[in-house]
Amino acid sequence: MSLVKEQLAARIEKHIEALSHFTATPGKGTTRLTYSPEDLQARNYIKGKMKEIGLEVTEDGLGNIFGKLEGTLEDAPSVLIGSHFDSVPNGGSYDGPAGVVAGLEVAALFAENNVKPKYPLEVIAMVEEEGSRFGGGLMGSRGITGLMSETEFFKLADRDGVLAKDAMEKIGLDPSLPKQRDPKTIKAFLELHIEQGPILEEKGIPIGVVEAIVGLTQLEVTVKGQAGHAGTTPMDRRSDALAAAAAIIAGLSGLAEAEGEGSVLTVGRLNVFPNGANVIPDKVVFSVDIRSGKEEHVLNMVEKVKERIGSYDGGGIQTSVEQPLYMKPKAMNEEILTLFKEKSAQLNIPYCPINSGAGHDAMVLSDFTDVGMLFIPSRNGLSHCPEEWSDSKDIAKAVEIFYEAAKKLTEAE
């Protein structure tokens, strides 16, 4: 590895390490929820680095961050590079930030090498991709593309009832700023992400060129019953919301197994009310995450899940289902795929085609612009946990590919 490449990897590692300190759970992984104090710390760091590179920094009405290197063409659309910087609770340091850091380093290479683009280059750091605070996920990219309306945003609240707009204002952001971006201002979007699976590591290949992203939906299920005293209410007189929810959940994984072809279903969040040890639960709210490479499987599973849930209505139990997020399977842009493969070969960086089983901002933006995505290996395939780790040398390889691809896409001189 050359000295220049070693220096690039070292800079990347320094960025990742710095961002990892902005967590609400020190020593127990990265917890950086949208519009939290940790969000503010991370965004100040990212904006500071953008300014050091010489980028023009702005934020929109969602808190998405943009760092722009102007091009020589007037009013030309930008090539965007970046990812998100929020996290799941007790997550890792690489999911999201690796892609933001890659964008920063591509812009830094443009500046250091005095590269003058015709089309602007923009580094983008997006909010609430994970949906850990306000639910649904992919909020930053959905807002940019208009898939989430202004009205919907102003109604968003976290599980404590805090409105998103109030949380924004608390850390000094302005929710009245424009959120949706004119698609004509975006020429392409490039995103680097950790694989979050074992394939690249097992193959010993540092780069995965993503060809398609899985379709996914998230359901929010509410089961209502009747609260009562745990000691004085006979078993045959109970309308136990948790018992009903548990029975529903117990049969859900079998629906995915029956669907087959890699279809998956996960119940990942469950809230019990009033959550007292000596009180029969009167309400349970839980999430159902459904994913498949084929849209027909996603739709089939949604229908079967709803049928199962509805079958528990009666006997004092009432159920309801909301669907805050639905994304079709998305193919990446063929021309950018070819460009990535060409540049990887020219740089002598091994790569392989790969599909994504996780949702990403790239899938949202793919309906509005040309999108390309690269994966780097995840150690032991782990993600969304404190043990999440990827090699900064692999991130550096992806940055090299992005740099060469971005020069072509911006038609830099």
Side-chain angles (χ1 to χ4, degrees), residues 230 233-240:
T233 309
M235 296 302 292
D236 62 353
R237 305 286 183 87
R238 298 185 179 205
S239 299
D240 188 329

Side-chain angles (χ1 to χ4, degrees), residues 208-265:
V209 178
V210 178
E211 296 187 333
I213 300 177
V214 72
L216 67 89
T217 189
Q218 289 180 4
L219 307 178
E220 184 173 279
V221 182
T222 301
V223 180
K224 291 183 178 180
Q226 176 62 56
H229 194 287
T232 61
T233 309
M235 296 302 292
D236 62 353
R237 305 286 183 87
R238 298 185 179 205
S239 299
D240 188 329
L242 181 55
I248 293 169
I249 293 167
L252 292 182
S253 61
L255 299 180
E257 292 170 2
E259 198 68 33
E261 293 197 59
S263 301
V264 293
L265 183 154

Side-chain angles (χ1 to χ4, degrees), residues 34-35 39 43 46-47 50 57-67 80 83-86 122-129 138-146 148 153 168 173-174 177-181 361 365:
T34 301
Y35 312 142
D39 172 305
R43 76 172 53 245
I46 292 166
K47 288 160 61 179
M50 287 177 171
V57 179
T58 58
E59 290 162 298
D60 64 13
L62 294 162
N64 292 316
I65 310 168
F66 303 87
L80 272 56
S83 191
H84 65 98
F85 66 102
D86 63 309
E122 286 189 60
V123 181
I124 179 172
M126 287 175 278
V127 300
E128 193 66 2
E129 190 266 1
L138 304 167
M139 187 178 82
S141 52
R142 287 192 294 129
I144 290 170
T145 55
M148 183 183 65
F153 175 76
M168 280 189 72
L173 299 175
D174 185 356
L177 291 172
K179 297 168 182 61
Q180 185 175 356
R181 180 161 170 164
D361 290 306
L365 287 157

Side-chain angles (χ1 to χ4, degrees), residues 22-87:
F22 307 136
T23 173
T25 53
K28 297 180 181 179
T30 298
T31 301
R32 186 163 52 244
L33 302 185
T34 301
Y35 312 142
S36 66
E38 295 74 35
D39 172 305
L40 180 59
Q41 292 173 315
R43 76 172 53 245
N44 285 341
Y45 178 88
I46 292 166
K47 288 160 61 179
K49 294 303 175 183
M50 287 177 171
K51 291 174 182 176
E52 285 180 17
I53 296 166
L55 306 180
E56 179 186 349
V57 179
T58 58
E59 290 162 298
D60 64 13
L62 294 162
N64 292 316
I65 310 168
F66 303 87
K68 187 174 184 179
L69 175 63
E70 279 290 357
T72 56
L73 294 176
E74 188 175 349
D75 298 324
S78 298
V79 174
L80 272 56
I81 304 181
S83 191
H84 65 98
F85 66 102
D86 63 309
S87 81

Side-chain angles (χ1 to χ4, degrees), residues 20 22-33 86-97 130 132 194 196 382-389:
S20 73
F22 307 136
T23 173
T25 53
K28 297 180 181 179
T30 298
T31 301
R32 186 163 52 244
L33 302 185
D86 63 309
S87 81
V88 297
N90 304 103
S93 301
Y94 294 81
D95 178 358
E130 301 290 2
S132 295
I194 61 173
Q196 302 179 282
L382 295 174
S383 182
H384 283 189
C385 60
E387 294 79 17
E388 176 184 279
W389 185 86

Side-chain angles (χ1 to χ4, degrees), residues 80-380:
L80 272 56
I81 304 181
S83 191
H84 65 98
F85 66 102
D86 63 309
S87 81
V88 297
N90 304 103
S93 301
Y94 294 81
D95 178 358
V100 175
V101 168
L104 289 172
E105 286 303 321
V106 170
L109 289 173
F110 266 67
E112 291 166 6
N113 295 311
N114 200 30
V115 176
K116 303 295 184 184
K118 291 182 180 178
Y119 293 85
L121 178 74
E122 286 189 60
V123 181
I124 179 172
M126 287 175 278
V127 300
E128 193 66 2
E129 190 266 1
E130 301 290 2
S132 295
R133 183 169 186 184
F134 297 103
L138 304 167
M139 187 178 82
S141 52
R142 287 192 294 129
I144 290 170
T145 55
L147 293 179
M148 183 183 65
S149 70
E150 185 99 349
T151 301
E152 289 173 319
F153 175 76
F154 283 121
K155 290 180 180 178
L156 274 182
D158 63 17
R159 66 189 64 183
D160 296 320
V162 178
L163 291 172
K165 68 178 186 67
D166 293 338
M168 280 189 72
E169 291 172 343
K170 189 173 181 179
I171 64 167
L173 299 175
D174 185 356
S176 70
L177 291 172
K179 297 168 182 61
Q180 185 175 356
R181 180 161 170 164
D182 186 342
K184 294 178 182 178
T185 67
I186 305 175
K187 187 173 189 279
F189 172 64
L190 309 181
E191 183 173 13
L192 167 72
H193 209 279
I194 61 173
E195 182 195 345
Q196 302 179 282
I199 295 172
L200 293 175
E201 184 181 54
E202 289 178 356
K203 290 185 175 182
I205 296 176
I207 296 293
V209 178
V210 178
E211 296 187 333
I213 300 177
V214 72
L216 67 89
T217 189
Q218 289 180 4
L219 307 178
E220 184 173 279
V221 182
T222 301
V223 180
K224 291 183 178 180
Q226 176 62 56
H229 194 287
T232 61
T233 309
M235 296 302 292
D236 62 353
R237 305 286 183 87
R238 298 185 179 205
S239 299
D240 188 329
L242 181 55
I248 293 169
I249 293 167
L252 292 182
S253 61
L255 299 180
E257 292 170 2
E259 198 68 33
E261 293 197 59
S263 301
V264 293
L265 183 154
T266 304
V267 176
R269 183 175 64 232
L270 186 144
N271 294 310
V272 181
F273 303 90
N275 206 29
N278 61 349
V279 184
I280 299 167
D282 66 350
K283 186 173 77 169
V284 174
V285 180
F286 64 90
S287 63
V288 181
D289 184 295
I290 297 170
R291 306 183 187 216
S292 180
K294 294 183 178 179
E295 185 177 18
E296 63 190 88
H297 293 317
V298 176
L299 296 176
N300 284 343
M301 286 191 288
V302 168
E303 189 62 31
K304 290 174 182 177
V305 168
K306 287 182 176 179
E307 287 177 3
R308 179 174 179 82
I309 293 166
S311 71
Y312 281 79
D313 281 335
I317 297 295
Q318 292 181 316
T319 65
S320 61
V321 182
E322 294 184 2
Q323 189 173 18
L325 177 67
Y326 177 74
M327 300 298 301
K328 296 180 180 181
K330 300 293 175 65
M332 298 294 94
N333 179 266
E334 288 291 342
E335 292 181 5
I336 295 180
L337 283 175
T338 300
L339 181 59
F340 282 164
K341 293 172 183 178
E342 288 176 352
K343 296 305 179 183
S344 297
Q346 291 170 8
L347 292 164
N348 199 29
I349 298 173
Y351 70 89
C352 69
I354 195 170
N355 288 333
S356 173
H360 300 286
D361 290 306
M363 70 192 301
V364 178
L365 287 157
S366 67
D367 283 338
F368 294 81
T369 190
D370 295 340
V371 169
M373 190 168 197
L374 295 180
F375 277 173
I376 56 167
S378 295
R379 184 168 62 187
N380 298 324

